[in-house]
Amino acid sequence: MAAARDPSPTPQSKRLYQLWKGNNKFLCGGRAVFGPDAGSLFLTTFLIGGPATAFCIKMLLLLVRKDDPCYDIPVLVGGLVLAIMDFVFLFMTSGRDPGIIPRNCQPPESDESVGIPSQSMEWVNNKITGLKLPRTKDLVVNGHSIKVKFCDTCLLYRPPRASHCSICNNCIQKFDHHCPWVGQCIGLRNYPYFIGFITSSTTLCIYVFAFSWFNVLRQHGTLWSAMSNDVLSVVLIAYCFIAFWFVGGLTLFHVYLISTNQTTYENFRYRYDKKENPFNRGIIKNFKQVFFSKIPVSAINFREWVTEDDASIMGGSDINGNFVGKGKFDIEMGGKFGKDGAMHLPSILQNLDYGSLDDNLKKKGEEKPAFDPFLFPADQEQPNSPQISIDKSNPVGDNRKQQLS
């Protein structure tokens, strides 16, 4: 009698990306994650590749004519290298998980939330279970009060600096913006590649613009006659001049954002120039955080085998059980409890250092605290922690006041 084999995967199971509730598009069996508007990559590829190819063909023709090999070869190689770098950064920005936060299959449990007054008097209601949750929670980061908001689509409190993208229908860690040119959200895991993309695009524009002018000026005769004889170079000059103001301005804007540790969303919504930014560590540390920090591993394995009842793929409905196709942009995000009962933080919160926790619930003799994404086990301590605490001025969850010091 043949030994029975463990069916893995089971006939009812599918890859997680096949059942994902977001609007993403997947290629290579879930290895590549694109946004719903990934078709815009064809336009972006043409806008970059067209002028770059034309410039390289121009330099190749000059090389065939043996006009000046010592000049033509290095310029041709430089153009090819910049164009390849630009495309590599483009597709690494567009085709990877930007920092999608796993969804919950059902809203968090909180028996203590019912009947407790809220400053904003905004509540999340579940008609089926009678669950009542505060819409927002106050969190103090380095002495500054910020709000974390409950996401009706992903059914979780978002950790700081996250937002729900209404285009991709996902909560994104350290959400910057949804870029239509790359067809993807820009978040924690692809922001360095996005900076590389716009920087290399700017450099390529300057490079083609400068050497196209040089190709015109090195010809004999008047400037007008030289431009008449080299129409391709003139077109490239005009194109790169216009494109530079777009990609160059975008690059300078993001250099400013990095130096002040802001996201595009935060800059347009919160205007930190009018109030102190709680995330600003100084210019040097801000640049180190973006360019010299390890990119966190994706919080979701889109290739794992799951069933339709698996908690990791559900949550595409609101509190009332209705499907939510579009969410609202917002900045805050949150963590959740795992199957083992332990608190699992999103990567953005794992990068922060937390001090000791004074768990008041345990002092009251409760066996298990009600769900709260900012309550952590008392024995989890990390050194060099910023001062992060629940705002005690908020009467919501008064029985669950916690402070991280």
Side-chain angles (χ1 to χ4, degrees):
M1 181 177 179
R5 293 183 300 174
D6 181 18
S8 180
T10 62
Q12 294 81 13
S13 61
K14 295 182 180 180
R15 297 283 189 184
L16 176 56
Y17 76 89
Q18 296 175 310
L19 302 173
W20 184 247
K21 298 298 183 180
N23 298 331
N24 303 86
K25 295 180 179 179
F26 299 90
L27 293 179
C28 303
R31 294 179 178 88
V33 184
F34 295 90
D37 51 347
S40 60
L41 276 175
F42 292 103
L43 176 60
T44 305
T45 301
F46 173 77
L47 293 176
I48 296 173
T53 302
F55 176 77
C56 291
I57 291 176
K58 172 67 178 180
M59 299 308 303
L60 186 61
L61 292 176
L62 293 177
L63 181 62
V64 171
R65 287 167 42 187
K66 298 181 179 180
D67 187 53
D68 187 359
C70 294
Y71 164 80
D72 298 333
I73 294 178
V75 174
L76 174 61
V77 172
L80 287 172
V81 170
L82 285 175
I84 293 174
M85 286 179 56
D86 205 6
F87 282 119
V88 168
F89 283 125
L90 170 62
F91 289 102
M92 291 189 73
T93 302
S94 179
R96 67 184 290 123
D97 171 14
I100 300 174
I101 302 174
R103 301 175 177 222
N104 283 334
C105 62
Q106 52 186 308
E109 298 179 358
S110 180
D111 297 333
E112 297 183 0
S113 296
V114 181
I116 298 176
S118 171
Q119 288 180 336
S120 63
M121 299 307 294
E122 290 187 81
W123 295 89
V124 180
N125 294 293
N126 189 331
K127 296 180 180 179
I128 300 177
T129 63
L131 180 66
K132 196 173 185 182
L133 294 169
R135 173 67 62 182
T136 62
K137 292 181 180 237
D138 293 328
L139 182 70
V140 177
V141 179
N142 292 327
H144 300 272
S145 179
I146 62 174
K147 289 185 179 295
V148 291
K149 189 175 181 180
F150 186 85
C151 178
D152 294 321
T153 303
C154 300
L155 302 181
L156 50 79
Y157 286 97
R158 307 174 194 137
R161 314 195 80 179
S163 176
H164 189 96
C165 176
S166 61
I167 299 175
C168 295
N169 196 27
N170 296 311
C171 280
I172 308 296
Q173 300 180 37
K174 198 178 179 182
F175 177 79
D176 190 88
H177 69 287
H178 184 95
C179 181
W181 298 103
V182 302
Q184 179 65 285
C185 285
I186 307 301
L188 178 66
R189 300 191 67 250
N190 64 351
Y191 185 73
Y193 300 108
F194 174 74
I195 297 299
F197 165 62
I198 60 177
T199 302
S200 58
S201 297
T202 302
T203 306
L204 183 61
C205 278
I206 297 174
Y207 188 89
V208 174
F209 177 85
F211 284 103
S212 294
W213 260 119
F214 192 77
N215 288 337
V216 172
L217 297 176
R218 67 198 291 247
Q219 298 182 33
H220 300 288
T222 63
L223 178 61
W224 179 254
S225 62
M227 294 176 65
S228 301
N229 295 329
D230 195 353
V231 178
L232 178 59
S233 293
V234 174
V235 173
L236 290 175
I237 290 171
Y239 181 87
C240 291
F241 178 79
I242 297 173
F244 170 78
W245 292 105
F246 174 73
V247 294
L250 187 61
T251 301
L252 291 177
F253 174 65
H254 277 276
V255 169
Y256 161 73
L257 292 180
I258 295 172
S259 64
T260 56
N261 205 336
Q262 300 182 61
T263 64
T264 300
Y265 183 76
E266 290 171 345
N267 180 263
F268 280 93
R269 178 171 181 178
Y270 291 97
R271 292 294 182 183
Y272 284 136
D273 55 344
K274 297 181 180 179
K275 60 180 180 179
E276 189 174 352
N277 180 3
F279 305 104
N280 192 355
R281 302 179 179 180
I283 295 179
I284 296 178
K285 290 184 178 180
N286 291 340
F287 273 91
K288 284 183 178 180
Q289 184 181 19
V290 173
F291 297 108
F292 299 99
S293 296
K294 184 178 179 181
I295 297 177
V297 178
S298 176
I300 304 175
N301 179 15
F302 287 105
R303 287 184 47 77
E304 68 175 331
W305 293 98
V306 295
T307 63
E308 293 189 5
D309 295 330
D310 195 292
S312 62
I313 64 169
M314 303 302 288
S317 60
D318 60 15
I319 292 296
N320 298 321
N322 302 317
F323 178 77
V324 180
K326 300 293 181 182
K328 294 182 179 179
F329 280 98
D330 200 35
I331 191 74
E332 304 84 5
M333 51 185 182
K336 62 178 183 178
F337 283 102
K339 295 180 179 179
D340 55 358
M343 180 66 190
H344 295 273
L345 298 177
S347 300
I348 184 64
L349 287 184
Q350 292 174 359
N351 293 334
L352 297 176
D353 297 321
Y354 299 95
S356 61
L357 173 70
D358 180 18
D359 194 342
N360 294 331
L361 287 175
K362 291 187 176 181
K363 292 181 180 180
K364 295 182 179 181
E366 297 185 10
E367 296 181 358
K368 184 177 180 181
F371 178 89
D372 190 324
F374 297 105
L375 296 181
F376 311 106
D379 57 348
Q380 291 185 3
E381 296 185 1
Q382 296 185 17
N384 303 324
S385 61
Q387 296 180 353
I388 302 179
S389 64
I390 300 298
D391 189 354
K392 295 188 177 183
S393 64
N394 186 358
V396 177
D398 189 49
N399 294 330
R400 306 189 309 276
K401 292 179 180 177
Q402 305 290 327
Q403 179 162 344
L404 300 175
S405 57

